[in-house]
Amino acid sequence: ETRELGTRQLDLSVCQLLEAAIDEDCAFNSTAVKTFSEQSAANNGDFTIAFWVKATGMESNHDLEKRFIPSLLFYSSLSPPQHNLAVGHSGGRDGQGRVYSACRDVNGQVQSAKMEMRRSVDEVWKFIAISQSNQKGKTRLATDLSQVSDRNDFPMCLYDPKQWIKALEINYPMLISPVMLIPAWLPFAAVQEMYYGESIHLDMKSGPLRSQHAMTGKRGVPITKKGFHHRSLLLTAPVIFQERRKPSTDCDSTFGSSFVKAQHKDVQASVCAAPFVCDDSVVNN
């Protein structure tokens, strides 16, 4: 496949460039990839691959479009360079997801399913999920909560059936989450559930990088207690049946005392929790 203008490409045949491009902080578990490949093959080759991406700044922008379009290739082989899955510009103004088959058509041409992506917003995380069902002859690309499907009537052949992914090429600087490898076609409702379950942890949160507690050197905030009439706590009791007895300094029931002690412990747990600090007069009285 020939890449379009504006799409950066790493020459994998130049060992020095390849070595310099390897990110030491990014890697994937090859054992997990092999397990995924085996389970996908046992499930008629069906799969779902999902991940989150986010721009890091102006350096993430596409050279021609001048905005962020996620661009990454899932290589099954580096020599020669071959991939079954690609996400990038590839003719779609907002980007495309493509699934390739190692089996050529009668004319020897590459067979692929192509789906348009939804436009990215630079400041937020973007969710991408690609699902393939060989039994249904269907490929689906989910971008956040939108979906695009493409029928494919070609056999889905892998370049390396034993290891679906050997390398991941990222063409523009960006943040990427761990890649989820699921050896099954997921219904769109399940993909939506994945989106909602993880998006809450990726939402942008405003405020200082360090909490007020951390910036103050973890000093406790003192709590003081104001006195109140000791009988007022029991004034809101529900209606109960009582037996009138003569006044006495002795009480054979400990219900009232136990209730007060339990309430005191509940107040301590909520009021005296970090970063607040209660002194002995508050805790013991």
Side-chain angles (χ1 to χ4, degrees), residues 223-254:
I223 293 293
T224 58
K225 183 171 68 174
K226 294 182 179 181
F228 62 93
H229 198 282
H230 66 280
R231 296 179 183 176
S232 63
L233 181 63
L234 300 179
L235 288 178
T236 58
V239 177
I240 58 176
F241 294 96
Q242 296 178 331
E243 179 183 355
R244 184 179 296 277
R245 302 182 65 179
K246 293 182 179 180
S248 173
T249 58
D250 299 326
C251 180
D252 56 5
S253 174
T254 60

Side-chain angles (χ1 to χ4, degrees), residues 23 72 94 105 119 124 145 195 215 252 264:
D23 190 338
L72 59 159
D94 296 324
D105 62 15
R119 177 168 292 201
V124 301
L145 293 176
Y195 173 86
M215 290 188 290
D252 56 5
H264 188 58

Side-chain angles (χ1 to χ4, degrees), residues 149-213:
S149 300
D150 186 20
R151 300 291 301 180
N152 54 51
D153 54 0
F154 55 84
M156 182 60 192
C157 306
L158 301 179
Y159 289 103
D160 187 346
K162 295 183 179 180
Q163 189 164 351
W164 221 96
I165 307 169
K166 288 185 178 177
L168 181 61
E169 179 187 346
I170 299 176
N171 302 120
Y172 294 87
M174 66 179 183
L175 301 177
I176 182 170
S177 71
V179 179
M180 292 172 277
L181 304 175
I182 304 169
W185 161 275
L186 292 184
F188 188 56
V191 175
Q192 290 177 311
E193 185 177 355
M194 292 169 58
Y195 173 86
Y196 283 117
E198 297 185 11
S199 61
I200 189 174
H201 304 294
L202 298 172
D203 287 341
M204 182 179 296
K205 299 177 177 62
S206 59
L209 295 178
R210 300 177 63 207
S211 66
Q212 182 71 20
H213 185 209

Side-chain angles (χ1 to χ4, degrees), residues 84-96:
N84 285 112
L85 177 61
V87 174
H89 187 260
S90 301
R93 180 169 176 78
D94 296 324
Q96 281 188 345

Side-chain angles (χ1 to χ4, degrees), residues 223 225 228 233 260-273 278 282:
I223 293 293
K225 183 171 68 174
F228 62 93
L233 181 63
V260 171
K261 291 179 180 179
Q263 291 296 107
H264 188 58
K265 289 182 178 179
D266 290 343
V267 171
Q268 286 187 50
S270 60
V271 176
C272 300
C278 298
V282 175

